[in-house]
Each structure stands twice: as C-alpha cells, then as structure tokens.
Amino acid sequence: MNFEDVDGCVHSVETCGTVDGPGLRYVLFLSGCPLRCQYCHNPDTQGKPSGQRRTAGEVASDMVRYRNFIRRGGVTISGGEPLVQPRFTHAILHLARQAGLHTALDTSGFLGARATDDLLACTDLVLLDIKSFVPTTYRDVTGVSLKPTLEFAKRLDRMRKPVWIRFVLVPGLTDEEANLTGLAGFVATLGNVERVEVLPFHQMGEMKYQQAGIEYRLEGVPTPTADQVQHARDVFRSYGTDVA
C-alpha cells in the first residue's frame, strides 16, 4: 500500500489538544459514524463520511509542522468513528509512527473488527469509549449493540495493547448502579487497561444539533454533580482500576 496516497474525509483538526491522550496532541477528527450517541459532541459526523477530502500524505505533512509542540504528546485519530475509514486511519497512523510520533486511536469499538492487526500495530494507545454496560442502556445511548465493543476490548487485551477506557456519566441515563458496577467489573478482567476516564456530561454540544437539524434528546439534563462523578470514580477504584 502506498500510504501517502490513501485518501479519506476529514471533519476537523485540533492542533494542540489536551484531553485525547497523553500530552499535547494533534487530534484529527474524521467524519462518518454508525452510532447515534445521545450526547455526541460532533453530531455532524454521523452517517457516511463527508466533508474535506484529503490524502494521508497531506495530513502527515500538516502533522509534522507541529512536531516540536507535540513531541511529548502525539497524534490522536478521533471522529466520528475512525474505523468507518479503516484504510485512511491505518495510513495516517503508519505515517505518524514513521515520523516518530506517539499514536492513539479514539474509537467506540463497534467497528473493531475493521481494525486489522497491522493497523493496531501502528497504534500505541487505544482510547476505548465504552458508553455503557447494561445492553439495553447501551442501545438506548448509542442505537447499536454493545457486543462488538466488548469483543474488541477482549481482543485488545489478548494483544496486550495499552487502553484507556472512557465513560461519559449522564444523570438519569448512564449513572445506574448496575451500569457502573457492570462496566467496572468488566474492565477489571482486562489486564491492558492503564486507566479509566469518567467524563461528566455537559451541554456544550447542544447548538451543533440545532445547526445540523438533528433531534437533541438530552435537553435540560444537568451536568453531574461533583459527588456523582466522585461516586462513579469510586466504583471503578473499588474494582482495582486506576481512575483519572
């Protein structure tokens, strides 16, 4: 494969991201996603890939311009769902690795079967967004099945691929005790999870839904209190997991 010539659809770029992996990072958001998460912060990336078409070589040339800023961080491919465009994602990860940059893949895991072993070999860290653990809650949150994500998580464990688990705490939706303990118990069975990030839900993406003409189902839902967030973190810690 000529990695530089592989092209795909880019949604946007954040050149000095601080929340999508370790250190300062070049975060590339790709378009396209099969999930319909109620709290999605980029709802305009849902569905088929669209937007600016670029080659992996063009993306890599832009990335290396920031090498001095991100040398202690790296590159994160996010979305949308990067594995909607697996060849493009693989090409960018390969070129980033070739440039000596740390690489991270931010994914829901729903399309984990599309991530080849070669793609994952170019990935230093997987940011795995597990939206919920109770299957009915997961489907309500995302519109899809939980099973592929759990299978991908187990595959990453077998590969000993470093993983950070990300979980968004939404009052009245994902904060049920059975949901928290179920996910915490599952994560505890994985030997490759370096940390869990409990992310408080916020309303910052609501305007994007209005602009995209998409129904927003979480209007009026509050941000979780500090005590609610701390409780969720304590649940994960009680299962022996390092929590951010």
Side-chain angles (χ1 to χ4, degrees):
M1 182 193 305
N2 187 339
F3 290 103
E4 293 193 353
D5 290 341
V6 177
D7 67 347
C9 294
V10 173
H11 174 266
S12 57
V13 173
E14 185 177 359
T15 54
C16 288
T18 59
V19 297
D20 295 299
L24 280 178
R25 307 191 70 82
Y26 183 101
V27 186
L28 183 73
F29 297 93
L30 303 186
S31 69
C33 185
L35 277 65
R36 298 293 184 270
C37 297
Q38 291 191 39
Y39 51 74
C40 177
H41 63 285
N42 284 326
D44 52 331
T45 66
Q46 294 175 1
K48 295 181 179 180
S50 61
Q52 184 181 11
R53 199 150 197 100
R54 302 179 68 186
T55 67
E58 290 170 338
V59 172
S61 294
D62 191 47
M63 284 189 306
V64 297
R65 293 172 52 216
Y66 300 92
R67 190 200 308 264
N68 290 338
F69 297 99
I70 63 174
R71 66 183 183 277
R72 295 183 181 177
V75 173
T76 299
I77 313 298
S78 187
E81 170 51 66
L83 295 177
V84 168
Q85 303 184 69
R87 291 182 75 254
F88 189 44
T89 296
H90 182 190
I92 295 165
L93 291 169
H94 173 87
L95 294 173
R97 262 291 192 82
Q98 198 172 61
L101 297 169
H102 179 276
T103 57
L105 174 68
D106 182 11
T107 176
S108 70
F110 179 70
L111 297 179
R114 294 190 181 185
T116 64
D117 287 349
D118 287 342
L119 183 156
L120 292 173
C122 298
T123 306
D124 294 308
L125 173 69
V126 176
L127 307 176
L128 184 59
D129 303 305
I130 303 185
K131 319 290 184 175
S132 282
F133 190 77
V134 175
T136 53
T137 303
Y138 189 91
R139 187 172 290 278
D140 186 29
V141 171
T142 68
V144 299
S145 169
L146 170 63
K147 185 178 178 181
T149 292
L150 300 187
E151 291 176 345
F152 186 54
K154 293 173 185 176
R155 176 184 168 202
L156 294 172
D157 183 38
R158 292 192 297 271
M159 298 178 70
R160 305 186 69 81
K161 180 65 62 178
V163 166
W164 290 7
I165 299 292
R166 309 178 104 184
F167 171 74
V168 179
L169 187 69
V170 184
L173 183 62
T174 68
D175 61 344
E176 293 180 13
E177 199 69 13
N179 204 35
L180 295 174
T181 57
L183 182 54
F186 173 74
V187 170
T189 68
L190 306 174
N192 61 330
V193 174
E194 296 182 344
R195 65 194 286 184
V196 172
E197 295 182 330
V198 176
L199 308 175
F201 164 74
H202 57 72
Q203 292 283 359
M204 292 171 62
E206 182 176 4
M207 184 64 69
K208 293 184 180 180
Y209 285 82
Q210 297 176 9
Q211 293 171 345
I214 300 172
E215 179 189 4
Y216 185 63
R217 296 173 58 189
L218 297 180
E219 183 176 358
V221 173
T223 296
T225 65
D227 286 345
Q228 288 172 318
V229 174
Q230 187 59 52
H231 173 69
R233 289 174 174 158
D234 288 344
V235 170
F236 283 99
R237 287 195 181 101
S238 72
Y239 282 80
T241 305
D242 185 21
V243 181

